[in-house]
Amino acid sequence: SSSSGDEALRDKRARILSRGLPKQKPIEGVKQVVVVASGKGGVGKSTTADILTITFLLLTQTKEVGLLDADIYGPSIPKMMNLKGNPELTAKNLMRPLKNYGIACMSMGFLIEETAPVVWRGLMVMSAVEKLLRQVDWGQLDYLVIDMPPGTGDVQLSVSQNIPIAGAVIVSTPQDVALLDARKGAEMFRKVHVPVLGLVQNMSVFQCPKCKHETHIFGADGVRDLAKTLGLDILGDIPLHVNIRETCDSGQPVVISQPQSDA
């Protein structure tokens, strides 16, 4: 019959598609993976990933937390976490993460000179991402936060399809051009069946340090409006504040160096 023929065709398509997708394999020793992503660069994604990871540790106290910098071309985490040097190797030839503030960190920035550009084609980048995921001795982690590169390309798809991810956090400024790409990022994760935990609105407001007047430099509530459209939660607002920028640049994130500050 026509219906049984259609069903057989669907089954055949499903089998062909399933062969083309890699089977997800957990990262050894890691219980939960959370990715922090953005459609556009320059919206403060790495800063948010950095602060989020430290906050995980501060709030849970007893949990073991790690941070993986998956941005091969522009690694930021070594500077933000105030870490330098090359990882040591274990007896099994696995890289040991560098540690600061009690957080295990791994980044391409530990493997190359600080000022050296990574001039690689896509296949080399994918190989490096695979090594950062699979050839690192994470020990036993309750949470691993992955700072993803901007965009919706090969790295995002490879990470999403190769390892089980508990959820994705999308970071954006309220600016219209950033929101367009943030929406694409959220839709990409939905297509690869990664739960989107919610959106973070970064650089939401600037307060003059002298007169305390507040200005919405990049627009007001753009990310909140996008969250409503997509049926997602807003996880928080991060102001455009000089202390946040200065402390991250100096490798002493504000949640560690100035925990009582308004920022």
Side-chain angles (χ1 to χ4, degrees), residues 57-230:
L57 189 66
L58 294 175
L59 290 178
T60 58
Q61 294 293 324
T62 58
K63 304 293 186 183
E64 293 293 327
V65 182
L67 177 58
L68 171 60
D69 185 354
D71 193 343
I72 303 299
Y73 291 117
S76 304
I77 295 306
K79 183 172 181 62
M80 290 185 175
M81 290 297 288
N82 196 25
L83 287 168
K84 286 185 179 180
N86 300 119
E88 296 178 354
L89 294 177
T90 68
K92 294 183 178 179
N93 211 32
L94 299 176
M95 293 181 287
R96 279 201 181 96
L98 275 62
K99 271 195 160 188
N100 197 9
Y101 307 122
I103 293 170
C105 300
M106 181 52 64
S107 170
M108 189 68 193
F110 300 146
L111 307 177
I112 60 172
E113 293 293 327
E114 188 175 13
T115 58
V118 177
V119 188
W120 287 354
R121 294 188 183 274
L123 286 174
M124 293 176 70
V125 172
M126 299 313 299
S127 175
V129 170
E130 181 68 17
K131 285 180 170 62
L132 291 176
L133 287 173
R134 302 292 182 195
Q135 296 185 19
V136 176
D137 181 10
W138 290 107
Q140 298 297 315
L141 294 183
D142 295 286
Y143 301 105
L144 176 64
V145 176
I146 301 182
D147 177 23
M148 300 280 262
T152 55
D154 288 344
V155 173
Q156 289 82 353
L157 285 172
S158 179
V159 171
S160 301
Q161 292 174 345
N162 276 283
I163 61 174
I165 297 174
V169 175
I170 308 293
V171 182
S172 180
T173 64
Q175 190 177 5
D176 287 348
V177 292
L179 293 170
L180 288 172
D181 290 340
R183 180 170 191 155
K184 292 174 187 175
E187 296 291 0
M188 182 211 73
F189 283 116
R190 283 177 164 174
K191 283 189 175 181
V192 294
H193 308 296
V194 171
V196 180
L197 302 176
L199 278 66
V200 172
Q201 183 164 256
N202 194 24
M203 307 183 203
S204 57
V205 65
F206 172 74
Q207 185 183 73
C208 176
K210 292 185 178 179
C211 70
K212 305 302 179 185
H213 174 73
E214 292 188 348
T215 304
H216 296 277
I217 294 174
F218 296 105
D221 294 330
V223 179
R224 292 183 178 279
D225 293 339
L226 177 62
K228 286 180 185 176
T229 301
L230 297 176

Side-chain angles (χ1 to χ4, degrees), residues 14-55:
R15 287 196 301 272
I16 292 170
L17 287 172
S18 66
R19 286 204 300 268
L21 291 175
K23 294 195 183 305
Q24 287 189 337
K25 180 184 175 186
I27 301 173
E28 189 171 346
V30 177
K31 292 180 181 177
Q32 302 278 355
V33 175
V34 175
V35 299
V36 179
S38 68
K40 185 173 289 296
V43 297
K45 169 188 52 61
S46 293
T47 300
T48 304
D50 186 32
I51 292 172
L52 178 65
T53 307
I54 295 172
T55 305

